[in-house]
Amino acid sequence: MKAVLLPLVLMSLAACATGGPRGADRLALYHAHAGQPVQQIRYFNAMGWDRLDDEHILLSMRPRETWLLRISGPCLDWAGGSPLLRLSSQGGWVSTKFDRIHAGDSPISCRIEEIRQVNVQAVRAAEAAWRDQVPSGT
């Protein structure tokens, strides 16, 4: 089993930076633009990750390749403020129900329950439409 460290990167999709939806609305936005669940994904040099809630993480592999992971949470120590995630993989593949995510040096881990590819262009378009509908100054 191989564990890879992922540095915290503020992804271009992060709603905090774009003024887009937050919280549950943000999760709903990514869910609305995610494909069907897949059993495994090819894992190579992730650009970063972003936490949506205690059970959902966005994993950015390339500027236009982002995956929505549902984990067996809440089990990560988010209060510790760890900027690193360790992600297990088998032979360059990350699989549901088998591979795990660890935060920082915590011995506790979360199993990856579901993986869905996010349509990054659709998310960006939806965020732009959302910003256009929100009156400025709010």
Side-chain angles (χ1 to χ4, degrees):
M1 181 181 325
K2 178 181 174 186
V4 179
L5 296 178
L6 299 175
L8 175 64
V9 174
L10 295 178
M11 296 171 27
S12 61
L13 296 176
C16 296
T18 62
R22 291 183 174 86
D25 290 338
R26 189 166 172 233
L27 177 58
L29 172 68
Y30 286 105
H31 250 287
H33 298 290
Q36 293 297 312
V38 297
Q39 293 299 311
Q40 63 182 6
I41 58 173
R42 187 86 175 135
Y43 182 77
F44 51 91
N45 298 330
M47 291 175 48
W49 62 274
D50 193 14
R51 174 185 176 218
L52 294 175
D53 65 13
D54 285 343
E55 297 180 355
H56 294 89
I57 294 172
L58 288 174
L59 180 63
S60 179
M61 300 295 259
R62 297 179 180 160
R64 294 186 181 163
E65 184 181 346
T66 299
W67 300 90
L68 176 63
L69 278 60
R70 182 172 53 85
I71 58 176
S72 61
C75 59
L76 298 177
D77 181 18
W78 298 115
S82 175
L84 297 176
L85 284 184
R86 289 182 296 150
L87 178 65
S88 68
S89 65
Q90 313 305 314
W93 293 90
V94 173
S95 303
T96 60
K97 309 290 185 192
F98 185 76
D99 286 307
R100 304 183 78 78
I101 293 176
H102 301 260
D105 294 329
S106 174
I108 301 171
S109 66
C110 299
R111 187 174 66 197
I112 299 171
E113 298 291 337
E114 184 178 81
I115 303 172
R116 295 173 179 249
Q117 187 166 19
V118 175
N119 182 333
V120 176
Q121 290 177 304
V123 169
R124 288 180 181 155
E127 286 179 333
W130 185 86
R131 282 190 305 275
D132 290 344
Q133 292 178 350
V134 175
S136 62
T138 56

